[in-house]
Amino acid sequence: MSIEKDSKWYVIHTKSGQEDEVDLHLSRLGLEILNPKLIQERIVWGCLKTSIKPLFAGYIFAKFNAEKYLHTIQYTRGVRQVLRFGMTLFPVEEEIIQNIQSRLDNNGCVELKKETLVPGSSVQINVGAFSGLNGVFDRETSDKKRVVILLDVMGVRAQVVMGKQFLSSMV
């Protein structure tokens, strides 16, 4: 890595979906790049799908000497611009970069803290036959992927076991 004395971190605005390409091009120049990812879980047609997306869509961070590399970076394929206000470049504080880096796993992904449910808290079911119903969180199952909730159905309180991803907290 070519980290020089006057190098600072800057935000680079990329063309849509080109974060990885810009990362590759700038890494070949020997620059230190931060391109954090986010592991996202979504429910598609009732199935849990996992995808990896940029944490900051359309933006990456690069550490470089502006006098030496700015022109090259501005004309790198996939780059829109290095963020600035007027003609002034705004460096990102090292503390902010270190904070982001401290949250990355070995694959460069940030794991967002998941909502913790407390027994007795109100929840809403978002998907499936019970979609739209409200219930009370009872407990997690031993596999930590499913939960037991209590639903009032026709005057009877019934226990229902379902995937944690199908719920949202009502707090």
Side-chain angles (χ1 to χ4, degrees):
M1 262 178 245
S2 153
I3 299 177
E4 300 174 17
K5 184 178 177 183
D6 297 330
S7 292
K8 295 180 182 172
W9 284 98
Y10 296 97
V11 178
I12 298 175
H13 185 194
T14 67
K15 292 180 180 174
S16 180
Q18 305 240 338
E19 300 87 358
D20 292 337
E21 186 175 342
V22 172
D23 181 342
L24 179 67
H25 291 307
L26 297 182
S27 293
R28 287 180 181 159
L29 292 174
L31 302 180
E32 187 175 354
I33 305 298
L34 177 59
N35 182 10
K37 305 287 185 196
L38 172 67
I39 297 175
Q40 192 174 48
E41 293 180 340
R42 304 180 296 138
I43 299 169
V44 178
W45 295 97
C47 296
L48 183 64
K49 301 288 183 186
T50 303
S51 60
I52 298 177
K53 301 194 178 233
L55 182 61
F56 304 107
Y59 298 92
I60 65 170
F61 301 91
K63 188 172 190 175
F64 60 92
N65 178 321
E67 286 181 24
K68 185 173 180 181
Y69 289 103
L70 182 60
H71 181 78
T72 304
I73 291 171
Q74 286 177 321
Y75 290 98
T76 297
R77 173 180 271 165
V79 171
R80 286 192 190 274
Q81 66 177 343
V82 178
L83 287 191
R84 63 179 78 219
F85 183 74
M87 296 302 290
T88 307
L89 291 177
F90 281 115
V92 178
E93 293 180 28
E94 188 76 34
E95 238 178 89
I96 294 170
I97 299 298
Q98 288 173 356
N99 192 333
I100 295 169
Q101 288 173 328
S102 71
R103 296 169 190 246
L104 298 178
D105 64 13
N106 295 335
N107 299 319
C109 295
V110 173
E111 187 175 332
L112 296 180
K113 293 179 182 171
K114 295 189 177 160
E115 207 175 325
T116 56
L117 297 171
V118 180
S121 63
S122 296
V123 293
Q124 182 174 32
I125 302 171
N126 299 320
V127 177
F130 298 115
S131 181
L133 292 179
N134 298 332
V136 176
F137 174 75
D138 186 33
R139 66 184 183 281
E140 280 186 342
T141 60
S142 59
D143 66 3
K144 304 284 186 202
K145 293 181 181 177
R146 294 177 298 147
V147 294
V148 177
I149 62 169
L150 305 173
L151 290 179
D152 285 321
V153 181
M154 297 189 300
V156 176
R157 186 161 265 196
Q159 284 189 346
V160 177
V161 179
M162 64 176 37
K164 194 188 279 190
Q165 72 272 16
F166 299 121
L167 299 177
S168 62
S169 179
M170 294 182 59
V171 176

